[in-house]
Amino acid sequence: MYICQWGLEIIFGKQKETPAIIKQWGEEKARSSHFKNSKNKVYVGHIGGSPSLIIDEYEFEKLEDFTVALTKIGQPQFRQFSEAIAPLIIPGTQKWKVFRTVS
């Protein structure tokens, strides 16, 4: 099992707007891409973490499923979401982390 987390920090004042975009984007990914083979959760910083930190997490059975999902994320139906969220992200803060579960 693999936990794949897309982490990003957003500009001040956009803590409500950004998770809504991520949720809609996730729904489209589940409908029309290999992300449908995952379980999804979205986290925001609360206690001890900045409320500007957002984690979009996917749990995949196989790492290959995640790799295929990423290669398809450039499809036209996703463009509206990436364009909507791009101006809200603090440059240089977005990254993927992948963890392998051991128990």
Side-chain angles (χ1 to χ4, degrees):
M1 187 79 57
Y2 292 87
I3 306 299
C4 307
Q5 297 179 337
W6 182 46
L8 55 121
E9 291 185 41
I10 56 169
I11 58 176
F12 182 77
K14 301 298 182 180
Q15 287 89 347
K16 290 184 182 179
E17 183 179 342
T18 308
I21 295 167
I22 290 174
K23 182 179 184 220
Q24 292 172 342
W25 197 357
E27 290 169 353
E28 182 60 39
K29 286 189 275 191
R31 270 193 302 275
S32 63
S33 78
H34 221 63
F35 277 95
K36 67 184 169 208
N37 296 327
S38 70
K39 295 178 187 172
N40 177 240
K41 294 180 185 176
V42 177
Y43 304 91
V44 295
H46 189 60
I47 298 172
S50 169
S52 294
L53 174 65
I54 299 176
I55 305 291
D56 187 16
E57 179 179 281
Y58 297 87
E59 182 180 305
F60 286 93
E61 192 69 35
K62 299 181 291 187
L63 188 57
E64 294 80 22
D65 290 333
F66 173 61
T67 304
V68 170
L70 280 183
T71 62
K72 304 296 184 186
I73 203 70
Q75 295 175 344
Q77 69 268 29
F78 302 122
R79 178 161 298 170
Q80 65 178 327
F81 304 108
S82 61
E83 289 175 355
I85 202 170
L88 308 177
I89 298 172
I90 295 172
T93 63
Q94 63 173 330
K95 62 184 169 186
W96 279 99
K97 291 183 180 180
V98 178
F99 301 91
R100 183 177 53 86
T101 58
V102 294
S103 64

